[in-house]
Amino acid sequence: MSSFRILFIADICGKAGRQAAAHLTKPLREKYSADYVIANVENAAGGFGITSEMSRKVFSYGVDMQTSGNHIWDRMDILKYFETKPRLLRPANYPQSVPGCGWYLDGVNGTKIGVLNLMGRTYMKDLDCPFKVADRELAHLRKETNLIFVDFHAEATSEKQALCYYLDGLVTAIVGTHTHVQTADEKITKRGTAYITDAGMTGPYESVIGMEVRPSLDRFLTGMPIRFSTASEDVKISGVVIDANAVTGEALSITRFKEDFDLKSFGNKNSEEDDD
């Protein structure tokens, strides 16, 4: 049996998250002997969006594919970048007329892997139905490969669980993103799909989902529009590792990870990451 290992890096948040990804992606890839690395990058630029320069840097860390979510349009220079970088995905259930693409078929040493990016609608933007869009896009991908990874960027746990049942056995993995809080419900379904409600966050954990605590508290206490800034303390990199049958696409295992990152242990080498 030919196996294939996917390393997924959870939502990279702000400068601290980029620093962690810059220093730890290649060591983690080597540690887990990963064949393919995917990272969600929609919060890479100060917690809101990603710039073209940052996306290029993330690829240089050892990432093969970048996924995103509702913040993908927050930095306007990304629109033209989509024309040149199909390996940066936006959710497939945005209208087909908008820039970018929601899925990509890639090849690794003779093995084809499909990556599909979807976004939920519950408590989020009213986009096309992610369930029906998944039907449409999987019709293309499954003609080429059974090895398919889905990043489902959604708020509601119920919507993520529902998509798992809807696509059970049709995809290799459904990994939830967006909430920045890693859940402990990873599993392999009866039909062989790996699932976790949320893979967590790569960034500062002394925070409110990556943002500084005081402004976050003030916004809850006052209801006023207060500017958020990304935090910088207690930085961690998190995500999941998924093993699958490269031919059938059946998931064999899913393991979540969360590792500490201390920039000082790397000699404060920070030339790779400018301020947000």
Side-chain angles (χ1 to χ4, degrees):
M1 180 183 67
S2 177
S3 62
F4 193 89
R5 179 167 288 179
I6 301 167
L7 170 66
F8 179 77
I9 297 173
D11 305 39
I12 297 173
C13 188
K15 182 177 179 179
R18 298 197 313 272
Q19 289 173 335
H23 289 288
L24 296 181
T25 297
K26 289 179 180 178
L28 285 174
R29 184 168 195 154
E30 182 176 352
K31 174 182 177 179
Y32 291 111
S33 299
D35 296 294
Y36 202 75
V37 179
I38 305 168
N40 187 292
V41 298
E42 71 137 16
N43 299 126
F48 302 95
I50 184 169
T51 67
S52 55
E53 179 183 1
M54 287 176 185
S55 179
R56 292 187 188 98
K57 285 185 177 181
V58 171
F59 281 120
S60 75
Y61 303 161
V63 170
D64 299 299
M65 183 68 63
Q66 297 176 28
T67 56
S68 64
N70 56 300
H71 286 296
I72 188 58
W73 314 114
D74 288 3
R75 308 288 173 142
M76 294 305 294
D77 79 320
I78 208 67
L79 299 181
K80 288 187 176 180
Y81 182 70
F82 269 125
E83 299 174 4
T84 63
K85 273 295 177 185
R87 290 172 188 256
L88 170 62
L89 301 182
R90 48 86 171 160
N93 48 326
Y94 274 100
Q96 291 181 284
S97 59
V98 307
C101 187
W103 62 272
Y104 192 85
L105 181 67
D106 210 350
V108 182
N109 298 325
T111 298
K112 292 182 179 180
I113 177 173
V115 182
L116 174 61
N117 197 176
L118 296 169
M119 196 164 95
R121 296 191 296 180
T122 305
Y123 307 125
M124 299 185 78
K125 293 181 179 179
D126 188 17
L127 299 179
D128 292 343
C129 174
F131 296 79
K132 297 303 181 183
V133 170
D135 287 338
R136 182 188 73 203
E137 307 299 18
L138 289 176
H140 302 299
L141 286 170
R142 287 183 61 82
K143 290 178 182 178
E144 300 291 336
T145 183
N146 294 315
L147 187 65
I148 300 172
F149 178 97
V150 179
D151 177 342
F152 190 30
H153 198 79
E155 182 78 30
T157 298
S158 57
E159 191 174 15
K160 294 178 182 181
Q161 290 179 337
L163 187 73
C164 178
Y165 284 106
Y166 189 73
L167 298 182
D168 190 7
L170 298 177
V171 298
T172 302
I174 299 172
V175 173
T177 59
H178 180 64
T179 70
H180 291 197
V181 178
Q182 189 178 73
T183 55
D185 62 340
E186 69 276 18
K187 67 177 181 179
I188 304 295
T189 67
K190 293 180 180 179
R191 295 182 179 178
T193 293
Y195 172 80
I196 187 169
T197 298
D198 203 283
M201 176 184 69
T202 297
Y205 276 69
E206 186 67 26
S207 68
V208 176
I209 61 170
M211 300 295 116
E212 289 184 346
V213 173
R214 187 69 254 173
S216 300
L217 286 176
D218 288 343
R219 186 162 181 174
F220 280 113
L221 290 168
T222 67
M224 297 294 291
I226 296 171
R227 182 181 177 85
F228 285 149
S229 297
T230 51
S232 59
E233 301 297 322
D234 190 21
V235 182
K236 303 179 190 296
I237 187 170
S238 68
V240 292
V241 177
I242 296 164
D243 284 319
N245 184 311
V247 177
T248 67
E250 179 183 3
L252 306 173
S253 67
I254 177 171
T255 306
R256 56 190 161 90
F257 66 86
K258 185 187 295 180
E259 297 194 8
D260 293 330
F261 170 72
D262 183 3
L263 185 61
K264 294 178 181 178
S265 66
F266 292 88
N268 281 310
K269 295 178 181 178
N270 193 29
S271 58
E272 281 295 310
E273 290 307 324
D274 299 323
D275 289 334
D276 293 319

